[in-house]
Amino acid sequence: MPRLIINADDCNLTPGVTRGILKSHDEGILTSTTVLINLPLEEKTVRELKMRRELGLGIHLNVTLAGPVSRVSRIPSLLKPGGIFCRPPDYQEKPPSVKEIITEYEAQIRLFEKRFQKLPDHLDTHHHLHDHPLFFGALASVAKKWKLPIRRSRTRR
């Protein structure tokens, strides 16, 4: 039986974004969200998300905003000086290591599992990096290893 999934990215980006996601779910509009797990996550937010058992909870894998979950020394091709992630245009100039992308993605999945006591129900990426073949390859590898579905926004030809 087909079903419609309405997903909201960027849960945990700001308190206002998260409140909007929770309200949209409570009002019956939203069925799923993806969490930016590498950003500071308050225990109150974790409790609020876990209370909503019908809300699909995925992870918005992020290598373009703020800092990593992994040790900086393990993922240098993803970082600017100061240990923050490169922005999408930076990756066009100098593509990162696929191995390092996988390292960070898996660290974020492990942190999600620790915070929510379960695996995410799906994966996607911040700034739609999964539309880029290099990042999609890393995402597909991680998804296969962890047996998790991917939410993909579009395909490139």
Side-chain angles (χ1 to χ4, degrees), residues 85-128:
F85 284 127
C86 295
R87 300 293 287 168
D90 300 326
Y91 291 136
Q92 290 176 353
E93 293 173 23
K94 186 178 178 201
S97 157
V98 172
K99 180 181 177 192
E100 291 176 22
I101 298 168
I102 291 170
T103 296
E104 179 61 17
Y105 284 176
E106 289 189 338
Q108 290 184 23
I109 292 169
R110 284 189 294 276
L111 180 58
F112 182 101
E113 185 176 28
K114 180 180 177 182
R115 296 301 306 269
F116 290 98
Q117 289 86 46
K118 68 174 191 165
L119 286 172
D121 59 26
H122 71 283
L123 306 172
D124 66 20
T125 61
H126 193 50
H127 291 129
H128 301 286

Side-chain angles (χ1 to χ4, degrees), residues 22-30:
L22 295 172
K23 183 177 181 189
S24 295
H25 174 70
D26 292 346
E27 293 180 2
I29 299 164
L30 192 71

Side-chain angles (χ1 to χ4, degrees), residues 14 21 37 72-75 93 106 110 120 137 148:
T14 67
I21 288 169
I37 198 72
V72 171
S73 62
R74 297 194 67 208
I75 56 164
E93 293 173 23
E106 289 189 338
R110 284 189 294 276
L148 296 169

